[in-house]
Amino acid sequence: MNQKQPLKFSKFLKSKWLTDVKDYELKKATIVVNISNTDAIISGPEPRKVLHPLKSTILQGVSVISAKSLVLINVPEETNIGGMVLEDGWCQLTEQDPTFPKLVPLYKSPQFDVGSVELDPYIASGSKNPNTGDAVKKYNIKVNVWFSPAKTNCGIHNHHTDPELLEVHTQVYGVGRMQKFRENDFKSIYEDVKMSPGFTHNPFAGVDDNGDFFYGWHQYYSDTDCIFMLIEHHPA
């Protein structure tokens, strides 16, 4: 019960992976992300609410009555917070992907495994299932955090891995946006999802005829200095 594992993204963040959660008290304002496939039950005044899978919020002065698997994050100190990109294990994305533009200041932390989950890809992505059979698949979950300074286009793309993963972003610090484009052109934007701390957007993925995820053109954009957590679901 209440098994904790630290997520050492950065000394500027207090982050942990919490499983088999029961009556876990949240004293300070904390970003709570439900990475399981069932609702997390939260205490508090009536009407009592739940935190749905792949959703997040900021909670304080309440308890998580029950949950399978959560990530908890808060930012205890903002001074020099951009210094996290100089910590061990961090890198600019171009260091791992030589095709990524060197002049785009997008930095990533170490990545951690946070269990696995069984999901119906159609339900998880909000897509219509053309079949009547059972579509549930197992996915391994990985998380890391990213930093980008203000006014950064983090790169339009429509591909991540082969086979494709399911990803969502949780805003940790600052204000940014998840954006969709008709083509690989900033002028072709057609959806702009504002991201403030504690918010996780709906998945951008669709599901193809093989039951695998696919993406249209999209990117993250930072209005201010931003930290966001990337939650990846890799086919097991």
Side-chain angles (χ1 to χ4, degrees), residues 19-104:
T19 57
D20 190 21
V21 187
K22 184 175 176 58
D23 298 327
Y24 187 86
E25 186 177 5
L26 298 165
K27 297 180 180 179
K28 297 181 179 180
T30 302
I31 297 172
V32 180
V33 190
N34 184 359
I35 61 170
S36 75
N37 58 0
T38 60
D39 290 340
I41 311 300
I42 311 300
S43 72
E46 297 292 346
R48 183 173 291 168
K49 297 295 184 177
V50 300
L51 184 61
H52 296 304
L54 295 184
K55 292 297 180 183
S56 59
T57 190
I58 299 175
L59 296 172
Q60 65 178 350
V62 296
S63 296
V64 180
I65 297 173
S66 64
K68 280 187 178 180
S69 186
L70 305 173
V71 171
L72 309 181
I73 307 176
N74 61 37
V75 182
E77 175 57 59
E78 299 181 19
T79 304
N80 295 328
I81 196 167
M84 65 173 51
V85 305
L86 304 175
E87 294 181 273
D88 290 342
W90 280 76
C91 68
Q92 188 178 4
L93 182 55
T94 190
E95 295 176 39
Q96 290 190 350
D97 180 2
T99 66
F100 190 77
K102 292 183 178 180
L103 295 182
V104 176

Coordinates of all heavy atoms in Angstrom, one line a residue, residues 19-104:
T19 N 2.0 3.9 -6.1 CA 1.2 2.8 -6.6 C 0.4 2.2 -5.4 O 0.8 2.4 -4.2 CB 2.0 1.7 -7.3 OG1 3.0 1.2 -6.4 CG2 2.6 2.2 -8.6
D20 N -0.7 1.4 -5.7 CA -1.5 0.8 -4.7 C -1.9 1.8 -3.6 O -1.6 1.7 -2.4 CB -0.8 -0.4 -4.1 CG -1.7 -1.2 -3.2 OD1 -2.9 -1.2 -3.4 OD2 -1.1 -1.9 -2.3
V21 N -2.5 2.9 -4.1 CA -2.7 4.1 -3.3 C -4.0 3.9 -2.4 O -5.0 3.5 -2.9 CB -2.8 5.4 -4.1 CG1 -2.9 6.6 -3.3 CG2 -1.7 5.5 -5.1
K22 N -3.8 4.3 -1.1 CA -5.0 4.2 -0.2 C -4.8 5.3 0.9 O -3.8 5.3 1.6 CB -5.1 2.8 0.4 CG -6.3 2.7 1.3 CD -6.5 1.3 1.9 CE -7.6 1.2 2.8 NZ -8.9 1.6 2.2
D23 N -5.8 6.2 0.9 CA -5.8 7.2 2.0 C -4.5 8.0 2.0 O -3.9 8.2 3.1 CB -6.2 6.7 3.3 CG -7.5 6.0 3.3 OD1 -8.4 6.5 2.6 OD2 -7.7 5.0 4.0
Y24 N -4.0 8.5 0.9 CA -2.7 9.2 0.8 C -3.0 10.7 0.9 O -3.7 11.3 0.0 CB -2.0 8.8 -0.5 CG -0.6 9.4 -0.5 CD1 0.5 8.7 0.0 CD2 -0.4 10.6 -1.1 CE1 1.7 9.2 0.0 CE2 0.9 11.2 -1.2 CZ 2.0 10.5 -0.6 OH 3.2 11.0 -0.7
E25 N -2.5 11.3 1.9 CA -2.8 12.7 2.2 C -1.9 13.6 1.4 O -0.7 13.4 1.3 CB -2.6 13.1 3.7 CG -3.0 14.5 4.0 CD -2.9 14.7 5.5 OE1 -2.4 13.8 6.3 OE2 -3.3 15.8 6.0
L26 N -2.5 14.7 0.8 CA -1.7 15.7 0.0 C -1.8 17.0 0.7 O -2.8 17.7 0.6 CB -2.3 15.8 -1.4 CG -2.3 14.5 -2.3 CD1 -3.2 14.6 -3.5 CD2 -0.8 14.3 -2.7
K27 N -0.8 17.3 1.5 CA -0.8 18.5 2.3 C -0.5 19.8 1.5 O -1.2 20.8 1.7 CB 0.2 18.4 3.4 CG -0.1 17.2 4.4 CD 1.0 17.2 5.5 CE 0.6 16.0 6.5 NZ 1.7 15.9 7.5
K28 N 0.5 19.7 0.6 CA 0.9 20.9 -0.2 C 0.3 20.7 -1.6 O 0.0 19.6 -2.1 CB 2.4 21.0 -0.2 CG 3.0 21.3 1.1 CD 4.5 21.4 1.0 CE 5.2 21.7 2.3 NZ 6.6 21.9 2.2
A29 N 0.2 21.9 -2.3 CA -0.3 21.8 -3.7 C 0.6 20.9 -4.5 O 1.8 21.2 -4.6 CB -0.3 23.2 -4.2
T30 N 0.0 19.9 -5.1 CA 0.7 18.9 -5.9 C 0.0 18.6 -7.2 O -1.2 18.4 -7.2 CB 0.8 17.6 -5.0 OG1 1.5 17.9 -3.8 CG2 1.6 16.5 -5.8
I31 N 0.8 18.5 -8.3 CA 0.2 18.0 -9.5 C 0.1 16.5 -9.4 O 1.0 15.8 -9.1 CB 1.1 18.4 -10.7 CG1 1.2 19.9 -10.9 CG2 0.6 17.7 -12.0 CD1 2.2 20.3 -11.9
V32 N -1.2 16.0 -9.6 CA -1.5 14.6 -9.5 C -1.9 14.1 -10.9 O -2.9 14.6 -11.5 CB -2.6 14.3 -8.5 CG1 -2.9 12.8 -8.4 CG2 -2.2 14.9 -7.1
V33 N -1.2 13.1 -11.4 CA -1.4 12.5 -12.7 C -1.8 11.1 -12.6 O -1.1 10.3 -12.0 CB -0.2 12.7 -13.7 CG1 -0.6 12.3 -15.1 CG2 0.4 14.0 -13.6
N34 N -3.0 10.7 -13.1 CA -3.5 9.3 -13.0 C -3.0 8.6 -14.3 O -3.5 8.8 -15.4 CB -5.0 9.3 -13.0 CG -5.5 7.9 -12.8 OD1 -4.8 6.9 -12.8 ND2 -6.9 7.8 -12.7
I35 N -2.0 7.7 -14.1 CA -1.4 7.0 -15.2 C -1.9 5.5 -15.3 O -1.4 4.7 -16.0 CB 0.1 7.0 -15.2 CG1 0.7 6.3 -13.9 CG2 0.7 8.4 -15.3 CD1 2.2 6.1 -14.0
S36 N -3.0 5.2 -14.5 CA -3.6 3.9 -14.5 C -4.7 3.9 -15.5 O -5.0 4.8 -16.2 CB -4.0 3.5 -13.1 OG -5.3 4.2 -12.8
N37 N -5.4 2.7 -15.5 CA -6.6 2.6 -16.4 C -7.9 2.6 -15.7 O -9.0 2.3 -16.2 CB -6.5 1.3 -17.2 CG -6.4 0.0 -16.3 OD1 -6.4 0.2 -15.1 ND2 -6.2 -1.1 -16.9
T38 N -7.9 3.1 -14.4 CA -9.1 3.2 -13.6 C -9.1 4.5 -12.9 O -8.1 5.2 -12.7 CB -9.2 2.1 -12.5 OG1 -8.1 2.2 -11.6 CG2 -9.3 0.7 -13.2
D39 N -10.3 5.0 -12.5 CA -10.4 6.3 -11.8 C -9.7 6.3 -10.5 O -9.6 5.3 -9.8 CB -11.9 6.6 -11.5 CG -12.7 6.9 -12.8 OD1 -12.0 7.2 -13.8 OD2 -13.9 6.7 -12.7
A40 N -9.1 7.4 -10.1 CA -8.6 7.7 -8.8 C -9.7 8.4 -8.0 O -10.3 9.3 -8.5 CB -7.3 8.5 -8.9
I41 N -9.9 7.9 -6.8 CA -11.0 8.5 -5.9 C -10.4 9.5 -5.0 O -9.5 9.2 -4.2 CB -11.7 7.4 -5.2 CG1 -12.1 6.2 -6.1 CG2 -12.9 7.9 -4.5 CD1 -13.0 6.6 -7.2
I42 N -10.9 10.7 -5.0 CA -10.4 11.8 -4.2 C -11.3 12.2 -3.1 O -12.5 12.3 -3.3 CB -10.1 13.0 -5.1 CG1 -9.3 12.6 -6.4 CG2 -9.3 14.1 -4.4 CD1 -8.0 12.0 -6.2
S43 N -10.8 12.5 -1.9 CA -11.7 13.0 -0.8 C -12.0 14.4 -1.0 O -11.5 15.1 -2.0 CB -11.0 12.8 0.5 OG -9.9 13.7 0.7
G44 N -12.8 15.0 -0.1 CA -13.1 16.4 -0.2 C -14.6 16.6 -0.1 O -15.4 15.7 0.1
P45 N -15.0 17.9 -0.1 CA -16.5 18.2 0.1 C -17.3 17.6 -1.0 O -16.8 17.3 -2.2 CB -16.5 19.7 0.0 CG -15.1 20.2 0.3 CD -14.2 19.1 -0.2
E46 N -18.6 17.3 -0.7 CA -19.5 16.8 -1.7 C -19.8 17.9 -2.7 O -19.8 19.1 -2.4 CB -20.8 16.3 -1.1 CG -20.6 15.1 -0.1 CD -20.2 13.8 -0.9 OE1 -20.3 13.8 -2.1 OE2 -19.7 12.9 -0.2
P47 N -20.0 17.6 -4.0 CA -20.0 16.3 -4.6 C -18.6 15.8 -4.8 O -17.8 16.5 -5.4 CB -20.8 16.4 -5.9 CG -20.5 17.8 -6.3 CD -20.5 18.6 -5.0
R48 N -18.2 14.7 -4.3 CA -16.9 14.1 -4.4 C -16.7 13.7 -5.9 O -17.5 13.2 -6.6 CB -16.8 12.9 -3.5 CG -15.4 12.2 -3.5 CD -15.3 11.2 -2.5 NE -15.4 11.7 -1.1 CZ -15.5 11.0 0.0 NH1 -15.7 9.7 -0.2 NH2 -15.6 11.5 1.1
K49 N -15.4 14.0 -6.3 CA -15.1 13.7 -7.7 C -14.0 12.6 -7.9 O -13.4 12.2 -6.9 CB -14.6 15.0 -8.4 CG -15.6 16.1 -8.5 CD -16.8 15.7 -9.4 CE -17.8 16.8 -9.5 NZ -18.9 16.5 -10.4
V50 N -13.8 12.2 -9.1 CA -12.8 11.2 -9.4 C -11.8 11.9 -10.4 O -12.1 12.9 -11.1 CB -13.3 9.9 -10.0 CG1 -14.3 9.3 -9.0 CG2 -14.0 10.2 -11.3
L51 N -10.6 11.3 -10.5 CA -9.6 11.7 -11.5 C -9.5 10.6 -12.5 O -9.1 9.5 -12.1 CB -8.2 12.0 -10.8 CG -7.1 12.5 -11.7 CD1 -7.5 13.9 -12.3 CD2 -5.8 12.7 -10.9
H52 N -9.9 10.9 -13.7 CA -10.0 9.8 -14.7 C -8.6 9.4 -15.2 O -7.6 10.2 -15.0 CB -10.9 10.3 -15.9 CG -12.3 10.6 -15.5 ND1 -13.1 9.6 -15.0 CD2 -13.0 11.7 -15.7 CE1 -14.3 10.1 -14.8 NE2 -14.3 11.4 -15.2
P53 N -8.5 8.3 -15.8 CA -7.2 7.8 -16.4 C -6.7 8.9 -17.4 O -7.5 9.5 -18.2 CB -7.6 6.5 -17.1 CG -8.7 6.0 -16.4 CD -9.5 7.2 -16.0
L54 N -5.4 9.1 -17.4 CA -4.7 10.0 -18.3 C -5.2 11.4 -18.1 O -5.1 12.2 -19.1 CB -4.8 9.6 -19.8 CG -4.2 8.3 -20.2 CD1 -4.3 8.0 -21.7 CD2 -2.7 8.2 -19.8
K55 N -5.6 11.8 -16.9 CA -5.9 13.1 -16.6 C -5.1 13.5 -15.3 O -4.6 12.7 -14.6 CB -7.4 13.2 -16.3 CG -8.3 13.0 -17.5 CD -8.0 14.1 -18.6 CE -8.8 14.0 -19.8 NZ -8.5 15.0 -20.8
S56 N -5.1 14.9 -15.1 CA -4.3 15.4 -14.0 C -5.0 16.6 -13.4 O -5.9 17.2 -14.0 CB -2.9 15.8 -14.5 OG -3.0 16.7 -15.5
T57 N -4.6 17.0 -12.2 CA -5.1 18.2 -11.6 C -4.1 18.6 -10.5 O -3.1 17.9 -10.2 CB -6.5 17.9 -11.0 OG1 -7.1 19.2 -10.5 CG2 -6.5 17.0 -9.8
I58 N -4.4 19.7 -9.8 CA -3.6 20.2 -8.7 C -4.4 20.0 -7.4 O -5.6 20.5 -7.4 CB -3.1 21.6 -8.8 CG1 -2.2 21.7 -10.1 CG2 -2.3 22.1 -7.6 CD1 -1.8 23.2 -10.4
L59 N -3.9 19.3 -6.4 CA -4.7 19.0 -5.2 C -3.9 19.4 -4.0 O -2.6 19.3 -4.0 CB -5.0 17.5 -5.1 CG -5.9 16.9 -6.2 CD1 -6.0 15.4 -6.1 CD2 -7.3 17.6 -6.1
Q60 N -4.6 19.9 -3.0 CA -4.0 20.1 -1.6 C -5.1 20.0 -0.6 O -6.2 20.3 -0.8 CB -3.3 21.5 -1.6 CG -4.2 22.6 -1.7 CD -3.4 24.0 -1.6 OE1 -2.3 24.0 -1.3 NE2 -4.1 25.1 -1.9
G61 N -4.6 19.6 0.6 CA -5.6 19.5 1.7 C -6.6 18.4 1.6 O -7.7 18.5 2.2
V62 N -6.4 17.5 0.7 CA -7.3 16.3 0.5 C -6.5 15.1 0.5 O -5.2 15.1 0.5 CB -8.1 16.5 -0.8 CG1 -9.1 17.7 -0.7 CG2 -7.2 16.5 -2.0
S63 N -7.2 13.9 0.4 CA -6.5 12.6 0.3 C -6.9 11.9 -0.9 O -8.1 12.1 -1.4 CB -6.8 11.8 1.5 OG -6.3 12.4 2.7
V64 N -6.0 11.1 -1.5 CA -6.4 10.1 -2.5 C -6.9 8.9 -1.8 O -6.1 8.2 -1.1 CB -5.2 9.8 -3.4 CG1 -5.7 8.8 -4.5 CG2 -4.7 11.0 -4.1
I65 N -8.2 8.7 -1.9 CA -8.8 7.5 -1.1 C -8.3 6.2 -1.7 O -7.9 5.3 -1.0 CB -10.3 7.6 -1.2 CG1 -10.8 8.9 -0.5 CG2 -11.0 6.4 -0.6 CD1 -12.3 9.1 -0.6
S66 N -8.3 6.1 -3.1 CA -7.8 4.9 -3.7 C -7.4 5.3 -5.2 O -8.0 6.1 -5.8 CB -8.8 3.8 -3.7 OG -9.9 4.2 -4.5
A67 N -6.3 4.6 -5.6 CA -5.8 4.7 -7.0 C -4.8 3.6 -7.2 O -4.2 3.1 -6.3 CB -5.2 6.1 -7.2
K68 N -4.7 3.2 -8.5 CA -3.7 2.2 -8.9 C -2.3 2.8 -9.0 O -1.4 2.2 -8.5 CB -4.2 1.5 -10.2 CG -5.2 0.5 -10.1 CD -5.4 -0.2 -11.5 CE -6.4 -1.3 -11.4 NZ -6.6 -2.0 -12.7
S69 N -2.2 3.9 -9.8 CA -0.9 4.3 -10.1 C -0.9 5.8 -10.4 O -1.7 6.3 -11.3 CB -0.4 3.6 -11.3 OG 1.0 3.9 -11.7
L70 N -0.2 6.6 -9.7 CA -0.1 8.1 -9.9 C 1.3 8.6 -10.0 O 2.2 8.0 -9.4 CB -0.8 8.8 -8.7 CG -2.2 8.4 -8.2 CD1 -2.5 9.1 -6.9 CD2 -3.2 8.7 -9.3
V71 N 1.5 9.7 -10.7 CA 2.7 10.5 -10.6 C 2.4 11.8 -9.9 O 1.4 12.4 -10.2 CB 3.3 10.7 -12.0 CG1 4.4 11.7 -11.9 CG2 3.8 9.4 -12.7
L72 N 3.2 12.1 -8.9 CA 3.0 13.3 -8.1 C 4.2 14.2 -8.4 O 5.4 13.8 -8.3 CB 2.9 13.0 -6.6 CG 1.9 11.9 -6.2 CD1 1.9 11.8 -4.7 CD2 0.5 12.3 -6.7
I73 N 4.0 15.5 -8.6 CA 5.0 16.5 -8.9 C 4.7 17.8 -8.3 O 3.5 18.3 -8.3 CB 5.2 16.7 -10.4 CG1 5.4 15.4 -11.2 CG2 6.4 17.7 -10.7 CD1 5.5 15.7 -12.7
N74 N 5.7 18.5 -7.7 CA 5.5 19.9 -7.4 C 6.9 20.6 -7.6 O 7.9 20.0 -7.7 CB 4.9 20.1 -6.0 CG 5.8 19.6 -4.8 OD1 7.0 19.6 -4.9 ND2 5.1 19.0 -3.8
V75 N 6.8 21.9 -7.6 CA 8.0 22.8 -7.8 C 8.2 23.6 -6.6 O 7.6 24.6 -6.3 CB 7.7 23.7 -9.0 CG1 9.0 24.6 -9.3 CG2 7.3 22.9 -10.3
P76 N 9.2 23.1 -5.7 CA 9.4 23.8 -4.4 C 10.1 25.1 -4.5 O 10.0 26.0 -3.7 CB 10.2 22.8 -3.6 CG 10.9 22.0 -4.7 CD 10.0 21.9 -5.8
E77 N 10.9 25.3 -5.6 CA 11.7 26.5 -5.7 C 11.9 26.9 -7.2 O 12.3 26.0 -8.0 CB 13.1 26.3 -5.1 CG 14.0 27.5 -5.2 CD 13.5 28.8 -4.7 OE1 13.1 28.9 -3.5 OE2 13.4 29.8 -5.5
E78 N 11.6 28.1 -7.6 CA 11.6 28.5 -9.0 C 13.0 29.2 -9.4 O 13.3 29.3 -10.5 CB 10.5 29.4 -9.3 CG 9.1 28.8 -9.2 CD 8.0 29.8 -9.5 OE1 8.3 30.7 -10.3 OE2 6.9 29.5 -9.1
T79 N 13.7 29.7 -8.4 CA 14.9 30.5 -8.7 C 15.9 29.6 -9.4 O 16.2 28.5 -9.0 CB 15.6 30.9 -7.3 OG1 14.6 31.7 -6.6 CG2 16.8 31.8 -7.6
N80 N 16.4 30.1 -10.6 CA 17.4 29.4 -11.4 C 16.8 28.1 -12.0 O 17.6 27.2 -12.3 CB 18.7 29.2 -10.7 CG 19.4 30.5 -10.3 OD1 19.3 31.5 -11.1 ND2 20.1 30.5 -9.2
I81 N 15.5 28.0 -12.1 CA 14.9 26.7 -12.5 C 15.4 26.2 -13.8 O 15.5 25.0 -14.1 CB 13.4 26.8 -12.4 CG1 12.8 25.4 -12.4 CG2 12.8 27.6 -13.6 CD1 11.3 25.4 -12.0
G82 N 15.8 27.1 -14.7 CA 16.3 26.7 -16.0 C 17.6 26.0 -15.9 O 18.0 25.3 -16.9
G83 N 18.3 26.0 -14.7 CA 19.5 25.3 -14.5 C 19.4 23.8 -14.6 O 20.4 23.1 -14.6
M84 N 18.1 23.3 -14.5 CA 17.9 21.9 -14.6 C 18.5 21.3 -15.9 O 18.9 20.1 -15.9 CB 16.4 21.5 -14.5 CG 15.5 22.0 -15.6 SD 13.8 21.4 -15.4 CE 13.4 21.8 -13.8
V85 N 18.6 22.0 -16.9 CA 19.1 21.5 -18.2 C 20.6 21.2 -18.1 O 21.1 20.5 -19.0 CB 18.8 22.4 -19.4 CG1 17.3 22.7 -19.5 CG2 19.6 23.7 -19.3
L86 N 21.3 21.7 -17.1 CA 22.7 21.5 -16.9 C 23.0 20.3 -16.0 O 24.1 19.9 -15.8 CB 23.4 22.7 -16.3 CG 23.2 24.0 -17.2 CD1 23.8 25.2 -16.4 CD2 23.8 23.9 -18.6
E87 N 21.9 19.7 -15.4 CA 22.1 18.5 -14.5 C 22.5 17.3 -15.3 O 22.3 17.1 -16.5 CB 20.8 18.3 -13.8 CG 20.4 19.4 -12.8 CD 19.2 19.1 -12.0 OE1 18.1 19.4 -12.6 OE2 19.3 18.6 -10.9
D88 N 23.1 16.3 -14.5 CA 23.5 15.1 -15.1 C 22.3 14.4 -15.7 O 21.2 14.3 -15.1 CB 24.2 14.2 -14.1 CG 25.5 14.7 -13.6 OD1 26.1 15.5 -14.4 OD2 26.0 14.3 -12.6
G89 N 22.5 13.8 -16.9 CA 21.4 13.0 -17.5 C 20.5 13.8 -18.4 O 19.8 13.3 -19.2
W90 N 20.6 15.2 -18.4 CA 19.9 16.0 -19.3 C 20.6 16.2 -20.6 O 21.9 16.2 -20.6 CB 19.6 17.4 -18.6 CG 18.5 17.4 -17.7 CD1 18.5 16.9 -16.4 CD2 17.2 17.9 -17.9 NE1 17.2 17.1 -15.8 CE2 16.4 17.7 -16.7 CE3 16.6 18.6 -19.0 CZ2 15.1 18.1 -16.6 CZ3 15.3 19.0 -18.9 CH2 14.5 18.8 -17.7
C91 N 19.9 16.5 -21.7 CA 20.5 16.8 -22.9 C 19.6 17.6 -23.8 O 18.4 17.6 -23.6 CB 21.0 15.5 -23.7 SG 19.6 14.5 -24.3
Q92 N 20.2 18.4 -24.7 CA 19.4 19.0 -25.8 C 19.0 17.9 -26.7 O 19.8 17.0 -27.0 CB 20.2 20.1 -26.5 CG 19.3 20.9 -27.4 CD 20.1 22.0 -28.1 OE1 21.3 22.2 -27.9 NE2 19.4 22.8 -28.9
L93 N 17.8 18.0 -27.3 CA 17.2 16.9 -28.1 C 18.1 16.5 -29.3 O 18.3 15.4 -29.7 CB 15.8 17.2 -28.6 CG 15.1 16.1 -29.4 CD1 15.1 14.8 -28.6 CD2 13.7 16.5 -29.8
T94 N 18.8 17.6 -29.8 CA 19.6 17.3 -31.0 C 20.8 16.4 -30.7 O 21.4 15.8 -31.6 CB 20.1 18.7 -31.5 OG1 20.8 18.4 -32.8 CG2 21.2 19.3 -30.6
E95 N 21.2 16.3 -29.4 CA 22.3 15.4 -29.0 C 21.9 13.9 -29.2 O 22.7 13.0 -29.4 CB 22.7 15.6 -27.6 CG 23.3 17.0 -27.3 CD 23.6 17.2 -25.9 OE1 24.1 16.2 -25.2 OE2 23.4 18.3 -25.3
Q96 N 20.6 13.6 -29.1 CA 20.1 12.3 -29.3 C 19.5 12.1 -30.7 O 19.5 10.9 -31.2 CB 19.0 11.9 -28.3 CG 19.5 11.8 -26.8 CD 18.5 11.2 -25.9 OE1 17.3 11.1 -26.2 NE2 18.9 10.9 -24.7
D97 N 19.1 13.1 -31.3 CA 18.5 13.1 -32.6 C 19.2 14.1 -33.5 O 18.8 15.3 -33.5 CB 17.0 13.3 -32.6 CG 16.3 13.3 -34.0 OD1 17.0 13.0 -35.0 OD2 15.1 13.5 -34.0
P98 N 20.2 13.7 -34.3 CA 21.0 14.6 -35.1 C 20.1 15.3 -36.2 O 20.5 16.4 -36.7 CB 22.0 13.7 -35.8 CG 22.1 12.5 -34.9 CD 20.7 12.3 -34.4
T99 N 18.9 14.8 -36.5 CA 18.1 15.5 -37.4 C 17.3 16.6 -36.8 O 16.7 17.5 -37.5 CB 17.1 14.5 -38.1 OG1 16.1 14.0 -37.0 CG2 17.8 13.3 -38.6
F100 N 17.3 16.7 -35.5 CA 16.6 17.8 -34.8 C 17.4 19.1 -34.9 O 18.6 19.1 -34.7 CB 16.3 17.4 -33.4 CG 15.4 18.4 -32.7 CD1 14.0 18.3 -32.9 CD2 15.8 19.4 -31.8 CE1 13.1 19.2 -32.2 CE2 15.0 20.2 -31.2 CZ 13.6 20.1 -31.4
P101 N 16.8 20.2 -35.2 CA 17.5 21.5 -35.4 C 18.3 21.9 -34.1 O 17.8 21.9 -33.0 CB 16.4 22.5 -35.6 CG 15.3 21.7 -36.2 CD 15.3 20.4 -35.4
K102 N 19.6 22.2 -34.3 CA 20.5 22.5 -33.2 C 20.1 23.8 -32.5 O 20.4 24.1 -31.4 CB 21.9 22.6 -33.7 CG 22.5 21.3 -34.2 CD 24.0 21.5 -34.6 CE 24.6 20.1 -35.0 NZ 26.0 20.3 -35.4
L103 N 19.4 24.7 -33.2 CA 19.1 26.0 -32.7 C 17.8 26.0 -31.9 O 17.3 27.1 -31.5 CB 19.1 27.1 -33.8 CG 20.4 27.4 -34.5 CD1 20.2 28.4 -35.6 CD2 21.5 27.7 -33.5
V104 N 17.1 24.9 -31.8 CA 15.9 24.8 -31.0 C 16.2 24.4 -29.6 O 16.7 23.3 -29.4 CB 14.9 23.8 -31.6 CG1 13.6 23.7 -30.8 CG2 14.5 24.3 -33.0

